[in-house]
Amino acid sequence: MELQFFIELVTNGVLTGLMYALVAVGFVLIYKSTDAINFAQGEFCMFAAIIVAGFMNLYGFPLWAAIAVGLLFMLVFNWGLERVVLRPMIGRPVVAIIMATIGLALIFRGLGPLVFGAETQPIPLPIPDQPIIWGPFFVSPIDLLGGSISIAFMAVFGWFFMKSRKGVAMRAVADSHQVSMAMGINVERYFVLAWMLAGFVALLGGLVWGSAIGVDTQLAQLGLKVFPVVILGGLDSIVGVIVGGIIVGVIEALSAGYVDPYVGGGTKDFTPYVLMIIVLMIRPYGIFGKPTIERI
Amino acid sequence: MSDTAGSGGSVKLKIRGAAKNFGGVRAVANVTADIQEGEVFAIIGPNGAGKTTMLNMISGFYHPDEGNILFEDHDISNVGPSKIAALGIARTFQNIALFRGMTVLENMMLGRHVLMKTGVLASFVYWGPAQREEVRHRERVEEIIDFLNLTDLRKAPAGALAYGLQKRVELGRALAAEPRLLLLDEPMAGMNQEEKEDMVRYVLDVNQEWGTTIALIEHDMGVVMDISDHVMVMDMGEKISQGTPDEVRADPKVIEAYLGSTDHKEVA
């Protein structure tokens, strides 16, 4: 019974963690290729979800059409964002870009409810609500779907990144802008590609999280989970993001299962950050990160 | 006006009064020079002479504040680095600038980026034209790997190789672009004697067998005098001498610039 409870917590934690990884991978993508820290990735997810939910609930669009609208918006918006706002900032201090993304995040938080209303909206997916019962275990279908979408995306994206020519060029850009330029790589074009991919993955994240917990501005809080995920898993690889996501998901589930009953709940909201700070104190470069020695 | 003797071959690169300032510092001042088609052209000079700034201007990382640079009679003074690479100028860097996490093969395939044409969506599709193109490029890269005797290390991560080998991979990556002008920033710096001899042989082979025009910065005077057709000497941002190795060696201005450092072979 004890073991069964533990396994159930871990299973749910893993699935939730995979869904966190879906949010974090958008952040990592931007950080790696453009050196920008995007504080608006959670808001990207939220806004994409608001669009999908809004078009479904307010305008009666079918799911696929609402997703198409959301995707189109995210791609066009992020393309424009890179071209208009961020490109002139290339070469400026990173802080400038961070401030710009924080501003963007707040605009998104204000704009979403303004356009589509502030009440929590559902994204009804054609999947059952009832938990799947598998022997003694319960799994929620939306978590299962979310985890599967995450794994599928990571697999396709991983292939693209590791094997395809554009992916390899993108890794080159992430490694060094200067050397990439010397290879004839149009670095700016890859910045645009990175932002558009981040928009696409934000739509996926918004979709699974929106249908799991409902769509409102609270969804943007997801963005803050990116930091423990990235610190615990590392920025270097897709595997790192998945591992980080799973660690965060499992920690949350365990603290909700074992600690909450004694303190009245709410611990899962901060335990990942406690772990993050402990890791930063012991290994400032992350659990899987390598210490870099810089020549001075 | 041309101050290079011998007007037989065509001029690959013309530098016309190029100047570059950083704040109040004059890094390069009014340099005029010609690099002839098919030659090995060396730029030498004491530290801080402006050699690397010169190379960065040719490869588009800096744009000259004054003057022009013409590649095959194209004015490239204000062209960016990625476009210049596409025009046919490849370079290596003073400090090794390989993509360390990638294999030797991946590094070299990236060198061919300028020659590849498939778009983003097509690159998701591994068959059809994309695959044929891939195979063709791969063959050429394998030839270069073979030429540089790196066959056993094709799949090794570049960052894990010994220093001299990394330098060689970087040369290979530049060669993979099939450049018509190859810029080498201290290709032999920090190498032991054996590695230097290897590198000299590769540079000469590239120049002689493929006819690639090469411009290089190098501190090892022995090497420079051995392999160069023409040498330009810079000091304090200015060109103080140019000519064949023998002419330059006999130039009193050159001797003066190097006075004080009795040993010409600086240790990098």
Side-chain angles (χ1 to χ4, degrees), chain B residues 2-8 36 230 242-244 247:
Chain B
S2 164
D3 37 349
T4 312
S7 50
Q36 306 288 331
H230 288 101
Q242 183 179 333
T244 62
E247 288 165 6

Side-chain angles (χ1 to χ4, degrees), chain A residues 165-166 171 178 181 183, chain B residues 82 106 114 116 118 123 134:
Chain A
R165 183 179 312 146
K166 295 283 161 184
R171 274 195 288 149
Q178 277 196 358
M181 284 183 216
M183 303 293 107
Chain B
S82 62
E106 282 176 319
V114 288
M116 298 179 171
T118 322
S123 76
E134 187 87 19

Side-chain angles (χ1 to χ4, degrees), chain A residues 156 159-160 162-169 171-173 175-187 189-190 193 197 295, chain B residues 61 81-82 85-86 91 93 95 97-102 106 110-111 113-114 116-120 123-124 126 130 133-134 137 173:
Chain A
V156 173
W159 179 88
F160 168 75
M162 295 314 288
K163 295 282 178 222
S164 85
R165 183 179 312 146
K166 295 283 161 184
V168 173
R171 274 195 288 149
V173 171
D175 195 322
S176 162
H177 297 168
Q178 277 196 358
V179 181
S180 302
M181 284 183 216
M183 303 293 107
I185 295 171
N186 184 342
V187 170
R189 190 182 297 168
Y190 285 89
L193 182 63
L197 275 171
R295 234 173 85 173
Chain B
F61 282 92
S82 62
R91 67 168 292 176
F93 292 82
N95 299 315
L98 291 172
F99 301 112
R100 298 175 57 83
M102 297 191 199
E106 282 176 319
L110 273 164
H113 186 88
V114 288
M116 298 179 171
K117 288 181 186 69
T118 322
V120 176
S123 76
F124 265 104
Y126 190 65
E133 203 195 352
E134 187 87 19
H137 287 300
R173 189 178 60 182

Side-chain angles (χ1 to χ4, degrees), chain B residues 103-176:
Chain B
T103 65
V104 169
L105 192 61
E106 282 176 319
N107 267 283
M108 296 217 186
M109 286 299 276
L110 273 164
R112 281 188 89 71
H113 186 88
V114 288
L115 305 171
M116 298 179 171
K117 288 181 186 69
T118 322
V120 176
L121 286 177
S123 76
F124 265 104
V125 185
Y126 190 65
W127 50 90
Q131 191 187 17
R132 273 197 299 275
E133 203 195 352
E134 187 87 19
V135 168
R136 194 164 53 77
H137 287 300
R138 180 68 185 268
E139 278 170 4
R140 191 76 189 95
V141 163
E142 293 289 355
E143 281 171 33
I144 293 168
I145 288 176
D146 207 36
F147 166 72
L148 294 172
N149 295 314
L150 291 166
T151 318
D152 298 340
L153 302 168
R154 290 153 62 240
K155 302 273 175 169
L161 299 181
Y163 179 84
L165 287 172
Q166 292 196 24
K167 281 277 201 193
R168 205 188 290 176
V169 173
E170 214 190 333
L171 173 69
R173 189 178 60 182
L175 289 176

